[in-house]
Amino acid sequence: MKIRIALIFFFTSIAVTVLALVGKKYNPENEFVGSWEEIDWNIKEAEKSVVTNLGLVATSTEEDRDSIRFHTAKSWKFRPGGVLILQDQHEEKELEWRLKGRGHILEITDGMVTEFYDINLLSDEKIELNYIAPSFVKDYARLVIKRSS
Amino acid sequence: MLRKYSNTRSLGDNIKLGVLTAIVAGMVNVASFMLFYSFSSNVTGYFAILASEVSQNNYYQIAIVLLWIMSFFLGSFISNFIVIHFNRRNTYLAHAMPIMLELLCILGVAIYGTSFYKGTLFETELMLMILLLSMGLQNGLTASISNFAVKTTHLTGATTDLAILFSMFTHKKYRNNKDIKDKAKLLISIFSSYLLGAFIAAFLYQSLKFNVFFIVVAFLTVVIFYDLSKIYKFNRSLKVYKLKKQEAEQQNPDNIRPNPKQVAIS
């Protein structure tokens, strides 16, 4: 009898969790939607060539022209339906964005190259993203964006 | 592979079951990681993640991780439930049913993924839940019918067991023990098959994406129909034998069934 009660409790708790999630309609994707302003791109001794070429590209020095590739968009516009607009003063590029896993991974792709970012912080005001580099890269690249008005 | 239960199973039965289901688990796990960035054939890591999410008060993630763990639990529960309740009525069907359910789950993911998937988080979470359910079904079944000898969706326990067995081989007393050797053979075949499945999925993922799951479905179909074909062959042989016996009886009934009393008198 006790086991039956425990089983009923267990399966009820699953159903309640599902219903609570569906009912609350909270979704980390909605937290992303909006306009964000880039405030920091910190590549700490990472193998720079792994930060691939997506969106707007900037190179710091002449010799690194082919290897250093990272986003320098002033504005990141996450639109519903997976559309990401990277906007600078003169340029604009449309990419796709998705959340993966349990909502802890941001995937950005231009159809050719796909990048993954671990979402380190997701708040109303700020998002911190850690670039997920191949395992042979010891250090990291971090992007911080804040919500623009 | 599926017809026999517990201690009546031979090493060959366990190896066949272990090899095929380990390939499936390896493929599903790697494919789900590459498609959804989360594993689907084991839950140990999710307990650690759960603790981490609890410490950060991420309620949404806590609920999702709990659901995934529960899905795996539910799968194993259903498998053993079917086995213990239907085993006496039809052993093959009782053992094949969890694999059929697993096949349906993976087929559903394959069809949805190739035709309807838009990449939203909800779809990702739901499909992972279904894959974890299917892996729970598989692990529950293999463990249940093999008396816990075959577990193919994760290798933590198998690694421990194999390490223990290898250390036993260093002692003269256990080196030639048949049971230990058999167990090592089984574990090594599970390891290599899981790895093979993982490699297959990793190589094929780039070109096939969600279609990888159709290959998994093909493997599961082999698991289901392998024993069914054996049963069919056995029934056919039995039918032929009975027919021949009947014909022989009709042709010469005295030779086939002698009267015991007459035999005794003579």
Side-chain angles (χ1 to χ4, degrees):
Chain A
M1 192 63 188
K2 277 180 185 174
I3 291 171
R4 278 190 185 178
I5 292 168
L7 284 172
I8 291 167
F9 175 76
F10 177 76
F11 290 117
T12 311
S13 64
I14 295 177
V16 167
T17 314
V18 173
L19 289 173
L21 278 175
V22 173
K24 202 179 175 188
K25 289 181 182 171
Y26 170 82
N27 190 335
E29 281 172 337
N30 298 336
E31 300 290 305
F32 266 86
V33 172
S35 292
W36 300 81
E37 188 185 320
E38 188 177 306
I39 52 174
D40 186 32
W41 235 126
N42 183 4
I43 304 176
K44 208 174 193 180
E45 293 302 315
E47 188 174 303
K48 290 162 184 173
S49 60
V50 302
V51 186
T52 50
N53 181 13
L54 279 178
L56 304 168
V57 173
T59 55
S60 58
T61 64
E62 193 66 29
E63 70 171 338
D64 287 336
R65 192 174 293 279
D66 294 327
S67 56
I68 305 172
R69 300 175 188 282
F70 52 95
H71 310 292
T72 54
K74 290 286 177 207
S75 167
W76 292 58
K77 288 180 180 165
F78 288 90
R79 300 234 168 106
V83 178
L84 169 63
I85 310 284
L86 291 186
Q87 222 169 26
D88 216 338
Q89 282 175 337
H90 309 292
E91 285 182 87
E92 187 176 293
K93 185 152 186 175
E94 190 175 307
L95 307 168
E96 281 178 30
W97 70 280
R98 298 280 177 220
L99 291 188
K100 296 281 178 180
R102 53 189 189 280
H104 71 299
I105 300 289
L106 171 67
E107 180 192 276
I108 297 175
T109 181
D110 63 353
M112 298 294 286
V113 181
T114 305
E115 290 181 344
F116 294 97
Y117 296 85
D118 186 43
I119 302 164
N120 189 44
L121 175 76
L122 175 60
S123 69
D124 290 343
E125 300 302 318
K126 197 165 86 169
I127 297 175
E128 277 182 24
L129 303 167
N130 288 334
Y131 178 80
I132 299 175
S135 56
F136 55 83
V137 179
K138 286 173 186 164
D139 294 302
Y140 67 91
R142 172 177 287 186
L143 168 66
V144 184
I145 51 180
K146 71 169 185 180
R147 198 178 283 279
S148 53
S149 53
Chain B
M1 192 163 28
L2 291 176
R3 287 164 298 158
K4 295 172 192 166
Y5 186 58
S6 194
N7 293 328
T8 61
R9 295 178 66 82
S10 66
L11 174 68
D13 292 329
N14 282 345
I15 287 182
K16 275 180 226 160
L17 181 69
V19 163
L20 284 169
T21 52
I23 289 175
V24 165
M27 287 183 78
V28 169
N29 205 26
V30 168
S32 71
F33 182 74
M34 293 177 114
L35 283 162
F36 309 124
Y37 236 86
S38 285
F39 292 111
S40 61
S41 79
N42 51 65
V43 286
T44 317
Y46 287 128
F47 281 100
I49 289 168
L50 182 69
S52 161
E53 299 292 5
V54 167
S55 71
Q56 291 171 51
N57 294 330
N58 292 335
Y59 299 112
Y60 181 85
Q61 274 80 6
I62 291 168
I64 292 297
V65 172
L66 267 175
L67 274 178
W68 287 348
I69 293 170
M70 285 172 179
S71 298
F72 193 89
F73 179 96
L74 188 66
S76 297
F77 177 89
I78 291 170
S79 262
N80 200 53
F81 182 88
I82 292 171
V83 169
I84 60 171
H85 282 86
F86 298 99
N87 208 16
R88 285 190 181 175
R89 289 184 201 175
N90 186 331
T91 310
Y92 168 75
L93 199 61
H95 294 178
M97 232 188 307
I99 298 282
M100 287 175 194
L101 290 175
E102 182 191 357
L103 188 148
L104 285 177
C105 288
I106 296 173
L107 187 65
V109 169
I111 293 171
Y112 188 88
T114 47
S115 310
F116 309 104
Y117 183 59
K118 288 176 185 161
T120 64
L121 185 61
F122 177 72
E123 289 172 305
T124 299
E125 288 160 350
L126 191 68
M127 279 199 266
L128 267 163
M129 204 171 134
I130 294 168
L131 288 174
L132 277 154
L133 179 80
S134 73
M135 289 294 101
L137 281 164
Q138 179 180 303
N139 210 40
L141 175 81
T142 56
S144 172
I145 67 173
S146 69
N147 206 12
F148 296 96
V150 182
K151 286 180 187 169
T152 53
T153 61
H154 52 278
L155 301 179
T156 317
T159 310
T160 314
D161 290 352
L162 198 64
I164 290 169
L165 292 177
F166 277 9
S167 75
M168 285 173 101
F169 287 140
T170 61
H171 199 290
K172 207 191 290 178
K173 188 181 166 188
Y174 304 110
R175 206 167 294 155
N176 294 316
N177 186 312
K178 192 180 175 296
D179 290 342
I180 295 174
K181 277 182 174 175
D182 286 352
K183 189 151 193 206
K185 277 181 201 165
L186 175 65
L187 289 174
I188 289 168
S189 44
I190 289 173
F191 266 99
S192 41
S193 306
Y194 190 95
L195 208 59
L196 178 70
F199 279 135
I200 292 172
F203 283 120
L204 295 180
Y205 168 78
Q206 293 301 334
S207 52
L208 295 181
K209 305 278 176 186
F210 272 97
N211 288 313
V212 168
F213 291 116
F214 285 115
I215 299 172
V216 174
V217 168
F219 272 101
L220 288 173
T221 312
V222 171
V223 175
I224 292 168
F225 281 95
Y226 177 83
D227 273 34
L228 202 61
S229 67
K230 292 254 174 187
I231 291 169
Y232 176 74
K233 274 183 190 169
F234 176 75
N235 286 343
R236 210 175 154 187
S237 309
L238 195 68
K239 209 174 172 182
V240 170
Y241 170 76
K242 279 181 179 173
L243 272 172
K244 279 184 179 173
K245 199 179 168 187
Q246 212 172 9
E247 278 171 15
E249 274 178 356
Q250 281 169 0
Q251 281 171 6
N252 195 357
D254 292 341
N255 285 351
I256 303 297
R257 206 180 281 171
N259 188 333
K261 280 181 184 172
Q262 284 175 348
V263 172
I265 291 162
S266 63

